[in-house]
Amino acid sequence: MELGSRIRALRTERQLSQEIVAEQLHVSRQAVAKWESGASLPSTANLLALCELFGVSPEQLTAPAPVQQPMHRRCTAPFVLFSLALILLLAGAAMLWRQSQLPDSIIGYADAATGLYVASASPLPFLLFGAGALLAAGGAALLLRAKRQAPGK
C-alpha cells in the first residue's frame, strides 16, 4: 500500500473528511486530495502532523507494505517434510510386511546355497514407521496452516 492509500485509509477509518484533515494541518483540501491520489507527497512537517492526527508512528504511516510470498515458496519446507514422512512410512510398512511373511515357528531359512536369512523382531521397522507417522502428521499440519494463510484463492 502506498503512502496516499494509507493516508486515505486512516482518514476514512477515523471518519474524517479531507476538509477536517486540511484544517487540522493548516493546508488546503486540494493538498490532502493530492497526497491521497499520489500526485504529491506531504512535507516532513505535514507527515509528522498526519501521524499525530491519526495516532500512528511515522514508521506505520510510511513503511512499505509487506510483500506476500507466493504460495509455492511458503509450502516448500512442509512439502519436503511431508514427502520424507511418506518415504519413511512406506519403508517402515515394507519392513513390517516382510517380517510378517515368515511363520512364527521358523527362525530363518536358506535363501541361497551359501547364505542364511534370520528373521528377528528388529525395532527398526517400528521406529521408521513411527517417525514417518509423526513427520506425516507434522507436514500435513504445516501444509494446512500455509494454505489457510494464503491470500485469496
Side-chain angles (χ1 to χ4, degrees), residues 87-100 125 128-129:
I87 291 169
L88 284 175
L89 278 171
L90 290 174
M95 291 177 89
L96 286 172
W97 178 79
R98 177 74 176 134
Q99 282 185 349
S100 70
L128 282 176
F129 194 77

Side-chain angles (χ1 to χ4, degrees), residues 8-132:
R8 178 179 289 126
L10 289 168
R11 179 181 59 77
T12 55
E13 258 179 36
R14 286 153 179 79
Q15 299 176 347
L16 299 172
S17 66
Q18 287 181 345
E19 290 85 10
I20 292 173
V21 172
E23 285 176 17
Q24 294 290 320
L25 293 156
H26 306 292
V27 296
S28 67
R29 186 201 58 77
Q30 289 82 2
V32 176
K34 285 182 182 181
W35 298 341
E36 289 182 359
S37 69
S40 68
L41 294 173
S43 67
T44 305
N46 286 331
L47 196 63
L48 293 173
L50 282 168
C51 291
E52 188 175 321
L53 178 66
F54 296 143
V56 296
S57 70
E59 292 83 20
Q60 290 172 317
L61 186 61
T62 59
V67 177
Q68 292 283 339
Q69 288 184 348
M71 182 67 175
H72 67 277
R73 286 190 181 167
R74 287 190 289 169
C75 286
T76 303
F79 181 73
V80 169
L81 183 67
F82 189 69
S83 300
L84 176 65
L86 286 178
I87 291 169
L88 284 175
L89 278 171
L90 290 174
M95 291 177 89
L96 286 172
W97 178 79
R98 177 74 176 134
Q99 282 185 349
S100 70
Q101 296 300 307
L102 294 174
D104 289 338
S105 62
I106 297 177
I107 294 174
Y109 67 93
D111 62 351
T114 59
L116 181 69
Y117 173 79
V118 178
S120 66
S122 169
L124 184 62
F126 298 104
L127 290 174
L128 282 176
F129 194 77

